[in-house]
Amino acid sequence: MAVIPSCKSHKRSAKRKAKTEQTSPRHATSETSQDKAIQAKYAAMMNVNEKDITNLNLYRFVDQWEGTPYKYGGTTPNGVDCSGFVCALYSDVYHKPIPRTTSEIEGSTKNISRSGLKEGDIVIFDINGKKNAHVGVYLLNGHFVHASSSKGVIVSELSNPYYNKAFNRGGRF
């Protein structure tokens, strides 16, 4: 597992804990007012139509984990690193076990170009000259979700100069 510079742990806030406890079950399939709010939130964030947010299990998962603090080696909502987050997402949303480290994930996926990325694909980054140092999951319209070493679990844009420069490749299982 690669170490990302400036990694630091954060205490989970009471607000984050309350949000997690109030969230509907991850595998619910009926659309609720909470689901409509999640669709609206992520559609606005990614500048897409609410109708484009079709994989509600994915966006429920992202919403539940958003704000989880970064913790090197972490795999839980109390603290998670980038590959731990991706493993948890794939297990919960896609019911697929995947390798634990970014390098193993990279080696287990089919190479996908940036222009060929689809929702649920892996995005892999080389950080500060270190190959396969960071991993996330592609969402829509140039956005991906990941566990940032400085901000915890967040949605970011591939066009951000930092991620644009560091982008290595996409991957698909």
Side-chain angles (χ1 to χ4, degrees):
M1 177 67 202
V3 176
I4 300 174
S6 72
C7 297
K8 51 183 151 177
S9 299
H10 303 279
K11 296 280 184 198
R12 183 173 163 181
S13 69
K15 181 179 176 184
R16 167 78 179 103
K17 184 176 180 181
K19 177 182 173 185
T20 301
E21 291 169 354
Q22 294 172 0
T23 307
S24 63
R26 293 181 185 166
H27 297 291
T29 55
S30 61
E31 202 169 301
T32 65
S33 60
Q34 186 175 20
D35 289 339
K36 291 182 191 304
I38 287 171
Q39 283 177 303
K41 174 183 175 178
Y42 290 98
M45 183 185 294
M46 298 184 296
N47 197 28
V48 298
N49 190 300
E50 288 181 31
K51 293 176 185 173
D52 294 332
I53 308 294
T54 58
N55 186 344
L56 287 172
N57 283 337
L58 173 61
Y59 292 95
R60 284 185 201 116
F61 184 90
V62 171
D63 204 59
Q64 286 176 336
W65 283 72
E66 190 175 29
T68 296
Y70 181 90
K71 180 180 178 188
Y72 180 75
T75 59
T76 72
N78 291 321
V80 69
D81 65 15
C82 64
S83 59
F85 174 72
V86 170
C87 286
L89 185 149
Y90 261 79
S91 176
D92 196 63
V93 174
Y94 299 109
H95 311 289
K96 181 177 182 73
I98 64 169
R100 175 61 178 91
T101 69
T102 303
S103 290
E104 291 171 334
I105 291 169
E106 189 271 341
S108 299
T109 58
K110 176 184 171 191
N111 193 12
I112 303 294
S113 68
R114 186 185 305 223
S115 63
L117 288 170
K118 294 184 180 180
E119 184 178 82
D121 284 343
I122 300 296
V123 287
I124 300 166
F125 302 89
D126 298 340
I127 308 288
N128 294 332
K130 181 144 175 82
K131 190 164 178 63
N132 305 324
H134 190 60
V135 65
V137 175
Y138 188 77
L139 297 173
L140 295 171
N141 199 26
H143 291 78
F144 68 104
V145 63
H146 62 118
S148 160
S149 61
S150 60
K151 297 179 182 175
V153 175
I154 59 168
V155 173
S156 298
E157 294 182 61
L158 286 174
S159 63
N160 172 301
Y162 179 79
Y163 294 113
N164 186 47
K165 180 180 177 186
F167 183 83
N168 173 346
R169 71 174 186 89
R172 187 172 298 151
F173 288 102

